[in-house]
Amino acid sequence: MRAAATLVMVTVAVIAQATVVNRVPFEWGPGPDLVLAAVVAVALTTSPAAAAGCGFAAGLAMDVLPPAEHPMGRYALVLCLAAYVLSLLRANTGLGGSAGAGVSAWAAVGVTAVTAVGVGLGYAFVGFVMGDAHVTLAAVGVNVAVGALLTTLAAPLVTLPVLWVRSLLTESDFATIQGPTSTGGW
């Protein structure tokens, strides 16, 4: 149930980002990154491999959906790496406190802000390596700062509800149900 709910919530974030946020002409540059905020919530509550898979799938969806103005796979790579590193850090440092404890709301918003800066810089770095003419020091500074600020402001509307839903649901609702078993195997 938890995986299905996560799939629905991340899909809604991808669709809202592609159909609403990316279509609004902001005068100051980029808008909030709802997909990043949703992936951060997943990375804070799952294993590094599952977080990387979620980040890659969400990033690839954003690479494919219009208005994609960059080479396919660029955002998928950066979001996959960010989710993996974030989940690995949480697993190894115990960001949520004791084992099984959830992440506080302030910590989740702070982690979203730091991850937004990291993803923005990573995205710019990949563009620089690929020879993107739009990557200049001034553009990167403004876009990363504005994007991170707006993503941080959107985090209570995206990251916190995803964390809350994921904390309510168990990994598998059917983990304690045992079906008929035979002594002979199959």
Side-chain angles (χ1 to χ4, degrees):
M1 187 66 166
R2 187 178 192 185
T6 301
L7 177 67
V8 169
M9 291 182 294
V10 172
T11 301
V12 167
V14 167
I15 291 170
Q17 183 74 36
T19 59
V20 178
V21 176
N22 287 352
R23 306 247 181 215
V24 175
F26 294 110
E27 295 177 19
W28 53 81
D33 194 343
L34 306 179
V35 176
L36 171 74
V39 169
V40 164
V42 173
L44 288 174
T45 57
T46 191
S47 69
C54 178
F56 179 78
L60 190 61
M62 290 308 301
D63 283 337
V64 172
L65 291 173
E69 303 166 343
H70 55 273
M72 189 180 312
R74 184 170 161 187
Y75 192 61
L77 171 68
V78 174
L79 204 55
C80 174
L81 287 174
Y84 178 76
V85 168
L86 179 59
S87 182
L88 193 64
L89 284 172
R90 184 195 189 299
N92 290 328
T93 63
L95 177 65
S98 62
V103 178
S104 73
W106 288 108
V109 171
V111 168
T112 303
V114 171
T115 306
V117 170
V119 165
L121 292 174
Y123 186 81
F125 177 74
V126 172
F128 175 75
V129 169
M130 294 177 72
D132 188 353
H134 300 304
V135 178
T136 63
L137 191 57
V140 169
V142 169
N143 286 339
V144 168
V146 170
L149 176 66
L150 293 176
T151 302
T152 303
L153 293 175
L157 303 174
V158 180
T159 305
L160 298 182
V162 173
L163 278 174
W164 180 70
V165 168
R166 285 187 55 83
S167 70
L168 288 179
L169 301 173
T170 60
E171 198 62 45
S172 174
D173 290 338
F174 305 107
T176 58
I177 298 175
Q178 294 181 350
T181 58
S182 67
T183 56
W186 289 82

